[in-house]
């Protein structure tokens, strides 16, 4: 009887252990310097000038022009489009669902778009480039009892409304300018919380020791400073790494729970080495994750991260991401002459209303053309270019069909591209044979809102959004009946290779508006496959 009870007890323990290899994320803090994409290696050459208040490049000294980097900022203004009064119908019904009264309210609506740009000149490389920025937002008024009241409200407050939106746009664009310059050139002190996989079940024999050594990890990394070497922290973590290495041979075998325990050791060691700036050791243990055959994707991800770190350190001629960062302002205050984001004054002369653009024809010929600002929003079926004589005087306007234009690239970075799609306004019977062969799709010049190796988002006629998956011959209007009525389903289908984005689409996380669809495209592009939950 005692022998039987002993066997039962052993089986019960074994079964409980089989369920006890759950892993929890336990977080610790790390600090380091984010290195730039385009480093300026000599410390005394890290100087810049900029005519925009409140923007600093980390690790650089701000000087009066000229610096190694000279940044010229220009705010082009805020435009108003789609201003209208919406009529909203309200019905009151009885308990049987019959309409017993109808009333209407009215709301003023408008869209505000602000544009700005920077020109960056690099004195070391003798190169310069332009980068454009744009922000848009919608205004919706309170409800009014009549069309007239809504119209009067908007007319009386239009400039205040516009200034309010412009002010918010300027602040957002300023932050985007700062982020761009620091990503490209800055040495940015950075802190973040990362995690190790620690056993979460008290039944597991390693539970107590796992938590004990994690506390040591947490305390060691808490001492990490972005501007101090990591040698002492690495020394402090040697017993922790030794423990995780010692766990591995004690849990040999092909059973999933055994591979899971080994996986935790490999992962934790690889992660610690990564934040100690030892990427070759990270790669070594990341490969062990792959060979262990429990969540190979983490091993592949860590190898990629380590290789990126190796490349980053090599590009910056550094052996560690820990360094002193000096950011200072060396300007003579009396000589500061910043340009605060003022809109450019309007001028009736046509020469001040022109923008230059490169037109790439269907035959791949490239022409430098002038386009009137007022005609840019009308680019679609045709493109109007302004012809000037040698003195800059107006000669005439030349209209080109979209079918003869492959792409239009403005100097400020704005792009229009010939995209084949069927616009939602096309009527039946209005298609030619070529369009019919493409399901009613024809080529039209569309503004490029987003492009990646996975998906493109475009705007036609300044209002109709078009999605074009990479590799597809024709795009799809998001205003078309088939797309609108199956909007979430259509987005989920486009994101079938990324379950997390597809699930967000099914959960109605995206809307059929420009900002939301840009976000969808960005998240789909950045998706590298979902991690398997532990």
């Amino acid at each position: 009887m005692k022998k039987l009870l002993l066997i039962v007890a052993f089986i019960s323990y074994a079964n409980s252990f089989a369920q006890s290899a759950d892993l929890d994320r336990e977080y610790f803090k790390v600090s380091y310097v984010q290195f730039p994409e385009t480093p300026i290696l000599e410390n005394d050459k890290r100087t810049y000038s900029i005519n925009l208040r409140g923007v600093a490049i980390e690790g650089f000294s701000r000087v009066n022009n000229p610096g190694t980097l000279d940044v010229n900022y220009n705010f082009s203004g805020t435009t108003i489009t789609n201003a209208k009064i919406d009529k909203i119908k309200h019905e009151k019904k009885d308990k049987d669902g019959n309409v017993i009264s109808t009333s209407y309210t009215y709301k003023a609506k408008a869209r505000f778009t602000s544009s700005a740009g920077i020109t960056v000149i690099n004195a070391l490389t003798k190169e310069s480039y332009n980068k454009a920025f744009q922000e848009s937002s919608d205004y919706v008024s309170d409800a009014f009892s009549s069309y007239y009241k809504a119209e009067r409200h908007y007319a009386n407050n239009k400039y205040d409304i516009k200034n309010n939106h412009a002010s918010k746009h300027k602040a957002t664009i300023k932050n985007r300018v700062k982020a761009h310059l620091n990503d490209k050139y800055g040495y940015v002190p950075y802190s973040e919380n990362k995690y190790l996989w620690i056993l979460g079940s008290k039944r597991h024999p390693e539970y107590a020791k796992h938590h004990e050594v994690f506390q040591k990890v947490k305390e060691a990394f808490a001492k990490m400073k972005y501007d101090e070497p990591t040698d002492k922290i690495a020394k402090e973590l040697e017993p922790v790494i030794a423990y995780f290495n010692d766990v591995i041979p004690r849990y040999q075998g092909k059973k999933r729970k055994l591979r899971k325990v080994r996986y935790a050791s490999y992962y934790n060691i690889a992660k610690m080495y990564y934040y100690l700036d030892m990427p070759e050791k990270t790669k070594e243990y990341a490969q062990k994750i792959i060979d262990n055959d429990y969540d190979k994707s983490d091993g592949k991800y860590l190898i990629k991260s380590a290789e990126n770190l190796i490349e980053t350190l090599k590009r910056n001629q550094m052996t560690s991401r820990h360094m002193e960062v000096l950011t200072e302002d060396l300007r003579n205050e009396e000589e500061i002459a910043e340009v605060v984001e003022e809109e450019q004054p309007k001028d009736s002369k046509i020469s001040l209303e022109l923008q230059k653009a490169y037109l790439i024809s269907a035959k791949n010929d490239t022409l430098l053309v002038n386009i009137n600002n007022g005609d840019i929003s009308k680019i679609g079926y045709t493109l109007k270019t302004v012809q000037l004589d040698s003195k800059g005087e107006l000669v005439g306007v030349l209209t080109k069909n979209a079918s003869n234009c492959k792409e239009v690239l403005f100097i400020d970075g704005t792009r229009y591209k010939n995209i084949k799609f069927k616009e939602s306004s096309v009527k039946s019977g209005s298609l030619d044979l070529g369009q019919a062969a493409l399901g009613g799709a024809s080529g039209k010049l569309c503004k490029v809102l987003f492009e990646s190796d996975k998906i493109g988002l475009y705007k036609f006629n300044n209002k109709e959004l078009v999605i074009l998956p990479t590799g597809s011959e024709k795009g799809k209007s998001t205003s078309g009946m088939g797309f609108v009525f199956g909007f979430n389903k259509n987005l989920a289908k486009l994101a079938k290779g990324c379950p997390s984005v597809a699930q967000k689409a099914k959960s109605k996380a995206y809307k059929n508006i420009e900002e939301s669809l840009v976000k969808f495209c960005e998240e789909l592009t950045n998706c590298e496959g979902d991690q398997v939950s532990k």
Side-chain angles (χ1 to χ4, degrees):
M1 185 67 180
K2 288 182 179 179
K3 186 175 182 181
L4 179 60
L5 290 174
L6 190 62
I7 293 172
V8 170
F10 177 79
I11 292 172
S12 298
Y13 174 78
N15 287 336
S16 67
F17 175 70
Q19 302 299 321
S20 64
D22 293 333
L23 299 175
D24 293 335
R25 288 185 176 94
E26 296 292 346
Y27 289 85
F28 62 99
K29 185 179 179 181
V30 296
S31 299
Y32 54 91
V33 176
Q34 286 188 327
F35 285 165
E37 300 169 3
T38 309
I40 292 176
L41 299 174
E42 298 178 53
N43 190 48
D44 60 351
K45 297 285 177 61
R46 293 177 191 154
T47 62
Y48 74 103
S49 70
I50 188 171
N51 62 334
L52 178 60
R53 186 176 288 116
V55 173
I57 303 178
E58 299 288 341
F60 279 66
S61 298
R62 186 170 181 178
V63 298
N64 295 316
N65 186 289
T68 299
L69 299 174
D70 292 315
V71 184
N72 183 58
Y73 170 81
N74 176 55
F75 185 76
S76 303
T78 303
T79 59
I80 308 172
T81 55
N82 298 334
K84 61 182 179 179
I85 306 299
D86 267 5
K87 182 179 181 180
I88 302 103
K89 184 178 182 179
H90 305 277
E91 294 181 338
K92 188 176 181 180
K93 299 180 180 180
D94 61 21
K95 61 181 181 180
D96 297 321
N98 300 312
V99 177
I100 57 176
S101 66
T102 302
S103 61
Y104 297 91
T105 56
Y106 302 83
K107 291 184 177 182
K109 295 183 177 181
R111 185 167 184 77
F112 296 87
T113 301
S114 299
S115 300
I118 56 171
T119 300
V120 182
I121 301 173
N122 188 328
L124 287 182
T125 62
K126 311 299 183 186
E127 296 173 340
S128 67
Y129 70 91
N130 299 314
K131 183 170 179 60
F133 300 87
Q134 189 176 86
E135 286 294 322
S136 298
S137 54
D138 295 314
Y139 170 76
V140 181
S141 74
D142 293 334
F144 292 88
S145 59
S146 71
Y147 184 99
Y148 174 78
K149 288 180 180 179
E151 185 181 45
R152 285 297 85 205
H153 163 79
Y154 180 73
N156 292 334
N157 296 281
K158 179 171 67 174
Y159 293 106
D160 287 340
I161 295 168
K162 177 183 177 183
N163 290 337
N164 182 47
H165 282 260
S167 179
K168 292 177 181 177
H169 293 169
K170 289 175 183 178
T172 301
I173 290 173
K174 180 185 289 187
N175 287 334
R176 290 177 60 194
V177 169
K178 182 178 180 180
H180 168 76
L181 292 173
N182 277 285
D183 286 344
K184 195 168 181 67
Y185 302 107
Y187 294 81
V188 184
Y190 185 73
S191 294
E192 63 178 340
N193 289 320
K194 306 307 293 186
Y195 64 85
L196 300 185
W197 286 115
I198 302 299
L199 286 162
S201 174
K202 293 181 179 179
R203 294 179 177 180
H204 198 283
E206 302 294 336
Y207 171 84
K209 191 65 176 178
H210 251 230
H211 283 264
E212 178 186 328
V213 297
F214 174 73
Q215 191 59 34
K216 293 179 180 179
V217 171
K218 190 173 182 180
E219 291 171 0
F221 277 107
K223 302 170 187 174
M224 179 176 275
K225 302 290 187 293
Y226 73 84
D227 56 351
E228 294 180 2
T230 60
D231 299 1
K232 291 182 180 179
I233 297 172
K235 189 72 175 175
E236 212 172 313
L237 291 173
E238 283 180 0
V240 175
I241 293 173
Y243 163 72
F244 282 121
N245 272 317
D246 186 53
V247 168
I248 295 164
R250 297 205 301 271
Y251 293 87
Q252 290 301 304
K254 294 184 178 181
K255 289 184 178 180
R256 189 174 186 274
K257 64 182 179 63
L258 297 172
R259 288 185 285 118
K260 196 172 185 179
V261 174
R262 297 198 301 271
Y263 158 83
S265 285
Y266 294 139
Y267 181 92
N268 294 343
I269 295 171
K271 261 302 186 59
M272 285 185 281
Y273 278 137
Y274 180 79
Y275 289 106
L276 291 172
D277 293 334
M278 301 168 71
E280 292 294 350
K281 296 294 288 183
T282 297
K283 288 176 64 177
E284 177 187 334
Y285 279 86
Q287 184 59 50
K288 293 178 186 290
I289 293 175
I290 296 172
D291 297 339
N292 183 57
D293 196 21
Y294 181 89
D295 201 342
K296 293 183 178 183
S297 62
D298 271 351
K300 293 175 183 177
Y301 174 79
L302 285 167
I303 287 176
K304 183 177 180 181
S305 298
E307 289 175 343
N308 288 340
L309 177 54
I310 291 169
E311 176 58 32
T312 296
L313 293 172
K314 181 180 179 182
R315 184 170 64 245
N316 285 272
Q317 297 184 12
M318 299 288 288
T319 58
S320 169
R321 287 173 289 181
H322 293 77
M323 58 176 282
E324 183 180 0
V325 176
L326 179 62
T327 305
E328 56 185 351
D329 192 335
L330 299 181
R331 295 173 297 168
N332 182 337
E333 293 296 327
E334 294 181 358
E335 297 179 13
I336 294 175
E338 290 181 325
V339 175
V340 182
E341 313 96 310
E342 298 295 337
E343 295 191 15
Q344 293 180 337
K346 303 294 181 184
D347 195 296
S348 59
K349 294 181 180 179
I350 191 167
S351 61
L352 294 182
E353 297 177 355
L354 297 181
Q355 286 201 42
K356 291 188 179 296
Y358 289 100
L359 167 62
I360 303 174
S361 72
K363 297 180 179 179
N364 285 322
D365 296 321
T366 302
L367 300 171
L368 182 62
V369 297
N370 297 298
I371 301 175
N372 193 345
N373 277 343
D375 291 329
I376 293 176
S377 62
K378 302 172 186 176
I379 293 175
Y381 298 105
T382 58
L383 173 72
K384 292 183 178 180
T385 62
V386 177
Q387 310 299 302
L388 304 175
D389 62 18
S390 59
K391 297 180 180 179
E393 298 292 331
L394 176 65
V395 175
V397 176
L398 182 63
T399 300
K400 298 179 179 291
N401 289 326
S403 59
N404 296 322
C405 305
K406 187 175 182 180
E407 187 171 345
V408 182
L409 175 61
F410 286 87
I411 298 298
D412 67 2
T414 304
R415 290 171 60 210
Y416 282 76
K417 200 169 181 179
N418 192 306
I419 303 296
K420 291 183 174 68
F421 75 100
K422 178 182 177 182
E423 63 270 34
S424 60
S425 58
V426 165
K427 299 178 181 179
S428 59
S430 63
L431 307 176
D432 61 27
L433 291 176
Q435 293 172 326
L438 287 167
S442 62
K444 293 166 281 291
L445 286 170
C446 302
K447 185 176 182 180
V448 178
L449 301 179
F450 183 92
E451 273 189 337
S452 73
D453 60 351
K454 292 184 179 179
I455 198 166
L457 180 66
Y458 308 89
K459 183 188 281 187
F460 169 66
N461 204 20
N462 211 30
K463 61 182 180 181
E464 189 166 358
L465 300 174
V466 180
I467 289 181
L468 179 66
T470 299
S472 296
E473 186 177 4
K474 62 179 181 178
K476 184 158 289 189
S477 168
T478 69
S479 300
M481 184 180 298
F483 201 97
V484 169
F485 282 94
F487 177 73
N488 300 304
K489 186 177 179 180
N490 282 318
L491 286 192
K493 186 176 179 181
L494 289 170
K496 62 182 180 181
C498 181
S500 61
V501 176
Q503 184 57 45
K504 286 183 69 174
K506 292 176 183 177
S507 302
K508 302 181 180 180
Y510 305 104
K511 296 182 179 179
N512 198 356
I513 57 175
E514 180 177 332
E515 291 85 355
S516 189
L517 287 177
V518 168
K519 182 180 179 183
F520 166 79
C521 292
E522 288 175 342
E523 292 180 350
L524 179 59
T525 297
N526 293 330
C527 177
E528 294 182 356
D530 292 337
Q531 301 262 336
V532 178
S533 60
K534 308 298 181 278

